[in-house]
Amino acid sequence: MNKTIRVKDKLFEPMIPEEEIREAVNGIARRINSDYAGKEPVFLCVLNGSFIFASDLLRRINLPCRLSFIKYASYSGTRSTQEIRNLIGLNEDLEGQDVIVVEDIIDTGLTISHLLGDLSDKGLSTLRIAAFCFKKDAFRADFRIDYLGMELPNEFVVGYGMDYDGFGRNLPGIYKIVKS
Ligand code: IMP
Ligand code: MG
């Protein structure tokens, strides 16, 4: 993993190798396994981006647990559009449940803020957030990330579930855009 790749019309260079990703996911799983011992958490995965992180994370969880999905869209190309569209809503009763939101990357934080708003009247027992990565310098919201894989600089990335116009999600490592 040391060469520049092309995704659609843009070039990307290697940033985080698979091995480092695996270590970060293991760390999050260990903490959740210990914090939720005796509980049966529901993982609420934010589609599409989180599907790979969610599948890696879930296979390292050794608790009885369930999985649910929600889908928003806020990105268009390499820019956050600031407008969140709800594409697949919550169709499960989460009342009294210990919910862990699973997200690939938190950038401005608007998507998760929107989700937290949607969840606020659902009577959850507890709610925590697990994000694989976080662009601290882009963050404009007001919530805490309980489980974080890694912080990234404020650069556009693809791979490990994250896309550029729908492409690049299948790359096992994380790549950052080459500035032209
Ligand atoms: P936020 O609402 O600005 O926090 O953006 C969150 C969503 O935008 C994430 O769930 C990703 O799907 C997407 N996103 C944010 N940054 C990137 C990036 O660098 N590459 C690809 N997708 C991104
Ligand atoms: Mg996402």
Side-chain angles (χ1 to χ4, degrees):
M1 171 165 180
N2 52 15
K3 61 177 201 314
T4 301
I5 56 159
R6 176 179 293 274
V7 178
K8 278 192 83 182
D9 57 342
K10 297 204 187 300
L11 296 177
F12 290 84
E13 60 193 18
M15 187 186 209
I16 317 281
E18 271 184 271
E19 181 56 34
E20 213 174 300
I21 292 174
R22 195 162 31 242
E23 293 287 310
V25 177
N26 285 343
I28 295 175
R30 264 196 302 274
R31 290 180 52 208
I32 292 177
N33 283 331
S34 128
D35 292 352
Y36 287 78
K39 297 192 169 153
E40 298 183 351
V42 177
F43 290 88
L44 181 57
C45 307
V46 186
L47 290 171
N48 292 329
S50 75
F51 79 110
I52 291 191
F53 170 46
S55 79
D56 281 351
L57 178 65
L58 266 281
R59 282 174 294 172
R60 290 168 175 81
I61 297 297
N62 56 26
L63 310 161
C65 62
R66 285 175 295 164
L67 181 61
S68 189
F69 295 97
I70 192 160
K71 181 165 182 171
Y72 294 115
S74 73
Y75 250 70
S76 175
T78 59
R79 284 249 170 81
S80 185
T81 60
Q82 318 219 338
E83 180 205 329
I84 315 279
R85 289 177 300 140
N86 199 333
L87 302 177
I88 297 178
L90 264 183
N91 47 16
E92 231 140 306
D93 184 7
L94 296 175
E95 191 173 345
Q97 301 299 317
D98 294 304
V99 174
I100 303 174
V101 169
V102 180
E103 178 62 303
D104 51 351
I105 183 165
I106 295 177
D107 184 34
T108 61
L110 296 180
T111 306
I112 295 296
S113 294
H114 189 87
L115 173 59
L116 296 178
D118 282 355
L119 292 175
S120 62
D121 60 353
K122 301 289 185 291
L124 310 190
S125 171
T126 63
L127 175 59
R128 285 189 178 176
I129 296 166
F132 183 73
C133 50
F134 176 46
K135 292 187 198 166
K136 192 167 124 221
D137 296 335
F139 192 63
R140 291 191 279 118
D142 178 29
F143 57 82
R144 204 173 51 134
I145 305 172
D146 303 282
Y147 303 101
L148 178 64
M150 56 184 69
E151 277 185 14
L152 295 184
N154 195 4
E155 290 173 295
F156 189 75
V157 297
V158 291
Y160 200 61
M162 295 176 281
D163 71 303
Y164 165 47
D165 261 0
F167 289 89
R169 296 193 195 276
N170 54 312
L171 296 163
I174 295 177
Y175 291 72
K176 68 173 176 186
I177 199 158
V178 176
K179 294 197 187 101
S180 44

